[in-house]
Amino acid sequence: DTGVSQDPRHKITKRGQNVTFRCDPISEHNRLYWYRQTLGQGPEFLTYFQNEAQLEKSRLLSDRFSAERPKGSFSTLEIQRTEQGDSAMYLCASSFFPSGNTEAFFGQGTRLTVV
Amino acid sequence: QQQVKQSPQSLIVQKGGISIINCAYENTAFDYFPWYQQFPGKGPALLIAIRPDVSEKKEGRFTISFNKSAKQFSLHIMDSQPGDSATYFCAASKRGSQGNLIFGKGTKLSVKP
């Protein structure tokens, strides 16, 4: 499978616990993005990396959220002290920049439920 | 402030009909306008995208119409099929940052057989 891979697909956690998600982008893609999608809404941008550098963070990314892409390949998104409002689908996408065709490919997401 | 407004919220179309979904944007710095299709439990998948230097782009049964002066763009699905039943999102992004997409709220399309 050469698409964007996310793990786990589902995560149920108790409020206050920390969770970490992993994203493996398409291998030749140098840009990696994290989005959050709540039920009935479009995805909302959280942050993106070009290679290992985190270039932009949304104001949605509170200080409880941290993302890394240590070697410019896979990325992790950690949420500390989870709250019920963190329940959402967390989507990862990747693209190659610069490119005339700048399509961002999305993974299937990690659905987080905070109980 | 919602930067990309999408309508309608839901749409029911008979098989073989034309599905039309509309989006409007405010930020004139946007220069890339994709449409994504999402099935339940799946990530969004790119359907078709357009840049503001053209007024229309067609790929198979899917057509984007773009009106730069009105800051509006729309998706037309010709000969709609039950397999097209999904949620459709329009989006927009700025030059050099096409992966930083601003999405509309989505349109749930149901195509009745």
Side-chain angles (χ1 to χ4, degrees):
Chain A
D1 187 352
T2 57
V4 177
S5 177
Q6 293 190 244
D7 183 70
R9 293 291 311 280
H10 304 274
K11 178 71 177 179
I12 300 174
T13 191
K14 292 184 178 180
R15 189 175 53 186
Q17 297 294 305
N18 298 344
V19 293
T20 300
F21 311 139
R22 176 179 170 125
C23 171
D24 287 273
I26 294 171
S27 59
E28 62 268 26
H29 285 182
N30 55 358
R31 282 195 171 177
L32 185 149
Y33 308 82
W34 285 99
Y35 286 79
R36 180 174 68 188
Q37 185 177 24
T38 54
L39 205 60
Q41 301 294 317
E44 295 174 298
F45 171 79
L46 293 177
T47 187
Y48 89 92
F49 294 83
Q50 180 160 311
N51 299 313
E52 66 274 11
Q54 189 173 17
L55 296 187
E56 188 174 347
K57 293 193 289 186
S58 164
R59 59 181 174 79
L60 295 175
L61 209 67
S62 76
D63 56 6
R64 296 185 298 107
F65 289 68
S66 63
E68 294 182 344
R69 194 182 183 200
K71 297 182 179 179
S73 56
F74 73 93
S75 175
T76 58
L77 178 68
E78 181 183 17
I79 309 175
Q80 296 181 328
R81 306 181 302 280
T82 52
E83 302 173 355
Q84 287 190 321
D86 297 331
S87 295
M89 174 82 86
Y90 289 84
L91 293 163
C92 176
S94 70
S95 68
F96 180 75
F97 179 85
S99 170
N101 181 13
T102 53
E103 174 181 354
F105 292 84
F106 282 82
Q108 297 203 54
T110 294
R111 179 163 296 283
L112 172 67
T113 303
V114 181
V115 297
Chain B
Q1 180 184 2
Q2 189 180 353
Q3 296 193 56
V4 179
K5 295 183 179 179
Q6 183 173 346
S7 63
Q9 187 174 351
S10 62
L11 182 62
I12 299 174
V13 173
Q14 291 295 318
K15 179 181 175 181
I18 302 174
S19 304
I20 301 174
I21 305 171
N22 300 299
C23 280
Y25 64 97
E26 291 295 325
N27 193 335
T28 55
F30 290 150
D31 78 335
Y32 175 69
F33 303 90
W35 284 90
Y36 280 82
Q37 178 190 58
Q38 187 175 32
F39 293 102
K42 304 291 186 182
L46 179 70
L47 266 181
I48 187 171
I50 199 168
R51 295 190 183 275
D53 52 345
V54 297
S55 61
E56 185 174 284
K57 184 175 181 180
K58 183 176 181 179
E59 290 184 2
R61 295 186 295 111
F62 301 94
T63 299
I64 298 180
S65 296
F66 186 83
N67 186 330
K68 187 175 181 178
S69 60
K71 292 187 285 186
Q72 295 176 348
F73 59 110
S74 61
L75 175 69
H76 296 232
I77 306 174
M78 312 299 287
D79 187 26
S80 300
Q81 299 296 313
D84 296 331
S85 297
T87 300
Y88 292 80
F89 294 95
C90 63
S93 67
K94 299 175 186 177
R95 183 180 301 276
S97 188
Q98 281 79 8
N100 182 350
L101 295 161
I102 310 297
F103 282 84
K105 290 193 172 185
T107 296
K108 186 173 183 179
L109 172 64
S110 296
V111 181
K112 300 299 185 184

